[in-house]
Amino acid sequence: MPCGIKLEPAKELSLKQPIATLPAPKTLPVPKMFAPLRRKKAGTAAILNAARTAGIVDELDGKPLEEKLMWFAAAETRVLIAVCFDEDPMTSAEQAVLRESASRIAAGLELAVRACGASVGKIAAANQKEVQRVQKDCSGTMFLTAGGRYPALVLLRRALSETGRKAGFLGGQACLALSDAADRGLAQSETVVTVAGDGARRWKNCRARLGTPIGEVLSAGEPLPETALAVVGASVNGRSVTDLSGPVTATTRCVLAMKRPPRRTVLPCIGCGRCQRACPRGILPWMILQQMESGSPDPFRLFNVERCVRCEACSVVCPSQINLAAAVARAEKFKEGKCNP
Amino acid sequence: MTLTNAAPPYVKSEFTVSSMMHSMLAALLALLVIPVAHYGLRPLVAAGASVLTALLCRILFRLFRGKGGSVSEASVLVTGLMVPMLLPLNTPLWLPCTASAFAVLVALEPFGGFGRNPFNPAAAGVAFVSLCWPKRVFSYFDPSQPASFPAFGAGVFHVAQSPAEILKQGFKPEILPLDMLWGNFPGPLGSTLILVIGACGLLLFLTGAGKAETTLCFLGAAALIAAAFPRILCSPLTSVKYEIMSGSLLFCSVFMVTDPVTSPRTFPGRCLYGAFAGAMTMAFRWFGAYEQGACFALLVANAAAPVIDSAVFRLRGWEGAAA
């Protein structure tokens, strides 16, 4: 029985157009330049130094790339994977970046592999079609494809860990930034953000300067005046914002305009077991909910709650529209002794 | 643009409780098509009266408790529609109404409504009227003789023994196989249409509204017992044929055992529950006072469902440490 859930992807519209570059706000400083590396000779220390000087942040988890590479080296990671697909059904930023600059991602990945002493680097694309599209641009790079089920990255990680090989994951845009830093001496100053949602007239991918207000990115999608909800991050597990002056960061994957907030009539759990099948981390969300609702949860029955990755697949599939992810998060806090049930 | 805050997720899967209930309703309504074609409006009136009673009881209960909540919740309609399917067409209209009133007022709402009920409400309602008015519940008209039913009031019909009753007496019912498949034999309104029930079951399993494993284990256990201990002198296969097709067994296996609320939540638990309910049904047929025991068996299995679940937990090591 496969884990995860099937979500209808809505990426074609935003992938149709090339990535548009948004004008940088005048208040932001001009990005710094420094001396590029000589690629052929650059050793581990030089590459790590370039990653630090360029201030590269991995968009997958918001951690500095240099730290991640050092950690991979310490853990003796064998395979390094550049994630060039988007888990979220409405986001297509990584996919668009892969289509546009596959060769530079491959070059950045090669540098990262050298920096952490891994044996091989692979690019993970959304599907076989994407691989065929970019294969001719970067010969000699290995590809692998992510499954079609949400959350694809978590499921890919799980599938790889079952094979027993240690794999490390990097963001595609972080690889691109590393290649730019090494070749042209550019600091990481931009990120690609998808603008979509039923409240946006034009769906597209925008290249925005880091620190651009979210409102400016949103207005590039020409939001309808009746837009009631602005979501940052992802359509499944993102967060809604009411203040549009917040900055775009390296981890901002998408900005969505929604015409109306999701309407939920929460019903009691009917025990269908869909959340259990959806969870990629082996949690039994229905049991967690039962335990938390009972008022005196038994910590021995709150299995695996500490492994939750907040993908919210359980909340999406629940036919009773219960916010199971919130119950799991509460159970995790309770298990750590940080709150009452 | 006025922005609001809302909690994630911002996408939703198509499958919800109401879509599940709608496919249940569609399947139950499909069972009414052939009776309506044969006997006019009476089956629709019986179903409508039962559904209306169920809805009214729910509204009254909610008003009495001073609770809000949507009145149009489809689960009540499903319960109301299931009850007349388990009763004969020739009963007076008050009988299905009483059964669905009992189902809603005693078995559903006092426990907190749909999702918290430990027993299948329709089974409880039908079990109640079977105990109170067994003569009316187990007297069926003969569909092979001319019969007519006005929309309201008593009809003109011949009473005949149902195959379940003949089996109970230890004789072999003489019904052609094709007649059995098309429901041309005395029995409850919705439970004789073997082919339609099979098609509805397929629809429910494909839309995800029901779990196939429960039904399969239920039928498997019932068939196994029927083959091993036939009630009549015949080959095991003939015994299996008559036991499965007579009475409300097949209807229960497709529409009632699969109810996710009252069945266990683990896969092995559901298999065990189905097998247990099937075995109980056959036990009620062997030893029970009445010709049909599926509803009683289902209630017993419902009571056992939490125990089955915790047994599965224990086997898997999910049980908490002993206090």
Side-chain angles (χ1 to χ4, degrees), chain B residues 87-177:
Chain B
L87 297 173
L89 184 58
N90 48 318
T91 51
L93 286 177
W94 56 263
L95 198 74
C97 293
T98 315
S100 57
F102 182 87
V104 172
L105 289 180
V106 178
L108 185 64
E109 290 296 336
F111 292 101
F114 175 72
R116 300 204 171 89
N117 49 317
F119 298 106
N120 189 314
V126 172
F128 172 70
V129 293
S130 310
L131 286 176
C132 292
W133 297 279
K135 286 227 174 68
R136 287 191 188 276
V137 172
F138 298 123
S139 92
Y140 305 102
F141 75 98
D142 189 357
S144 56
Q145 304 273 333
S148 71
F149 296 98
F152 301 93
V156 184
F157 54 86
H158 297 271
V159 177
Q161 281 187 320
S162 71
E165 195 183 343
I166 301 172
L167 280 170
K168 181 86 198 153
Q169 290 166 357
F171 300 109
K172 190 177 165 191
E174 291 303 331
I175 301 167
L176 293 176

Side-chain angles (χ1 to χ4, degrees), chain A residues 135-266:
Chain A
Q135 214 158 21
K136 58 184 181 297
D137 295 344
C138 36
S139 54
T141 313
M142 282 200 268
F143 285 92
L144 60 102
T145 53
R149 297 179 83 86
Y150 177 86
L153 180 55
V154 184
L155 293 173
L156 184 65
R157 209 182 274 261
R158 184 174 151 149
L160 286 175
S161 74
E162 273 166 14
T163 62
R165 300 182 73 187
K166 279 184 186 165
F169 289 83
L170 291 178
Q173 296 194 43
C175 291
L176 184 65
L178 184 61
S179 139
D180 280 352
D183 292 347
R184 298 194 271 160
L186 290 174
Q188 186 187 29
S189 64
E190 291 169 334
T191 186
V192 176
V193 179
T194 306
V195 188
D198 57 2
R201 275 195 213 95
R202 294 168 64 87
W203 291 24
K204 56 176 156 185
N205 283 301
C206 302
R207 182 165 278 122
R209 179 74 66 82
L210 293 175
T212 311
I214 282 164
E216 275 185 37
V217 180
L218 190 64
S219 59
E222 297 170 22
L224 299 168
E226 65 260 35
T227 301
L229 195 69
V231 175
V232 175
S235 64
V236 180
N237 57 356
R239 67 197 155 84
S240 66
V241 290
T242 47
D243 178 14
L244 291 178
S245 61
V248 166
T249 63
T251 53
T252 309
R253 296 270 52 77
C254 71
V255 177
L256 305 173
M258 302 270 186
K259 264 198 252 180
R260 59 183 75 83
R263 212 185 309 153
R264 289 194 195 93
T265 39
V266 178

Side-chain angles (χ1 to χ4, degrees), chain B residues 119-276:
Chain B
F119 298 106
N120 189 314
V126 172
F128 172 70
V129 293
S130 310
L131 286 176
C132 292
W133 297 279
K135 286 227 174 68
R136 287 191 188 276
V137 172
F138 298 123
S139 92
Y140 305 102
F141 75 98
D142 189 357
S144 56
Q145 304 273 333
S148 71
F149 296 98
F152 301 93
V156 184
F157 54 86
H158 297 271
V159 177
Q161 281 187 320
S162 71
E165 195 183 343
I166 301 172
L167 280 170
K168 181 86 198 153
Q169 290 166 357
F171 300 109
K172 190 177 165 191
E174 291 303 331
I175 301 167
L176 293 176
L178 210 64
D179 276 353
M180 275 219 112
L181 284 182
W182 281 110
N184 228 340
F185 62 92
L189 170 60
S191 320
T192 53
L193 308 153
I194 307 298
L195 281 182
V196 187
I197 292 177
C200 290
L202 220 59
L203 173 95
L204 290 182
F205 300 144
L206 288 182
T207 53
K211 297 262 165 57
E213 67 261 14
T214 332
T215 302
L216 290 179
C217 288
F218 182 91
L219 289 178
L224 214 70
I225 292 176
F229 310 103
R231 287 195 283 173
I232 46 173
L233 278 173
C234 63
S235 69
L237 223 60
T238 320
S239 165
V240 169
K241 180 181 93 180
Y242 284 121
E243 293 286 6
I244 297 283
M245 288 189 182
S246 72
S248 52
L249 195 144
L250 199 71
F251 180 85
C252 278
S253 78
V254 167
F255 287 95
M256 299 173 88
V257 179
T258 50
D259 175 23
V261 178
T262 51
S263 54
R265 297 171 174 216
T266 49
F267 179 84
R270 277 194 298 272
C271 293
L272 225 108
Y273 165 83
F276 178 63

Side-chain angles (χ1 to χ4, degrees), chain A:
Chain A
M1 191 70 89
C3 293
I5 51 177
K6 201 118 193 101
L7 286 177
E8 202 54 48
K11 307 188 185 203
E12 282 312 310
L13 266 177
S14 49
L15 279 173
K16 231 184 254 169
Q17 292 157 7
I19 301 173
T21 304
L22 291 185
K26 290 201 175 63
T27 46
L28 291 179
V30 181
K32 283 182 197 132
M33 305 276 283
F34 49 91
L37 284 179
R38 264 168 297 165
R39 298 189 56 115
K40 290 273 184 294
K41 288 184 203 158
T44 307
I47 298 169
L48 289 178
N49 190 35
R52 181 172 54 241
T53 333
I56 300 172
V57 171
D58 192 325
E59 75 269 19
L60 287 184
D61 44 18
K63 286 187 188 128
L65 182 66
E66 183 213 4
E67 246 174 54
K68 272 187 89 166
L69 289 176
M70 274 157 49
W71 194 84
F72 287 150
E76 295 181 346
T77 306
R78 301 262 58 89
V79 189
L80 216 54
I81 292 166
V83 176
C84 296
F85 60 87
D86 303 270
E87 289 185 319
D88 192 66
M90 283 175 132
T91 312
S92 60
E94 299 278 2
Q95 212 169 327
V97 172
L98 179 68
R99 283 187 185 185
E100 197 185 73
S101 38
S103 56
R104 276 153 68 204
I105 292 178
L109 180 64
E110 197 195 319
L111 284 175
V113 166
R114 220 189 298 165
C116 70
S119 54
V120 64
K122 290 181 182 178
I123 291 181
N127 47 42
Q128 207 56 43
K129 236 161 120 188
E130 291 298 312
V131 173
Q132 280 160 9
R133 222 184 151 106
V134 297
Q135 214 158 21
K136 58 184 181 297
D137 295 344
C138 36
S139 54
T141 313
M142 282 200 268
F143 285 92
L144 60 102
T145 53
R149 297 179 83 86
Y150 177 86
L153 180 55
V154 184
L155 293 173
L156 184 65
R157 209 182 274 261
R158 184 174 151 149
L160 286 175
S161 74
E162 273 166 14
T163 62
R165 300 182 73 187
K166 279 184 186 165
F169 289 83
L170 291 178
Q173 296 194 43
C175 291
L176 184 65
L178 184 61
S179 139
D180 280 352
D183 292 347
R184 298 194 271 160
L186 290 174
Q188 186 187 29
S189 64
E190 291 169 334
T191 186
V192 176
V193 179
T194 306
V195 188
D198 57 2
R201 275 195 213 95
R202 294 168 64 87
W203 291 24
K204 56 176 156 185
N205 283 301
C206 302
R207 182 165 278 122
R209 179 74 66 82
L210 293 175
T212 311
I214 282 164
E216 275 185 37
V217 180
L218 190 64
S219 59
E222 297 170 22
L224 299 168
E226 65 260 35
T227 301
L229 195 69
V231 175
V232 175
S235 64
V236 180
N237 57 356
R239 67 197 155 84
S240 66
V241 290
T242 47
D243 178 14
L244 291 178
S245 61
V248 166
T249 63
T251 53
T252 309
R253 296 270 52 77
C254 71
V255 177
L256 305 173
M258 302 270 186
K259 264 198 252 180
R260 59 183 75 83
R263 212 185 309 153
R264 289 194 195 93
T265 39
V266 178
L267 296 170
C269 172
I270 58 163
C272 64
R274 270 156 206 269
C275 48
Q276 181 183 345
R277 265 172 285 147
C279 184
R281 306 288 287 170
I283 304 172
L284 310 176
W286 60 266
M287 200 205 273
I288 311 290
L289 182 79
Q290 212 177 39
Q291 289 293 316
M292 296 308 284
E293 276 184 346
S294 74
S296 52
D298 177 357
F300 288 100
R301 278 201 170 187
L302 305 174
F303 309 110
N304 295 343
V305 283
E306 62 285 345
R307 300 179 60 195
C308 178
V309 289
R310 311 268 181 272
C311 69
E312 309 227 359
C314 48
S315 300
V316 174
V317 287
C318 180
S320 296
Q321 320 224 9
I322 302 167
N323 198 345
L324 289 162
V328 172
R330 213 164 59 241
E332 191 180 341
K333 271 194 179 162
F334 169 75
K335 210 173 174 181
E336 288 167 358
K338 282 186 193 157
C339 78
N340 294 323

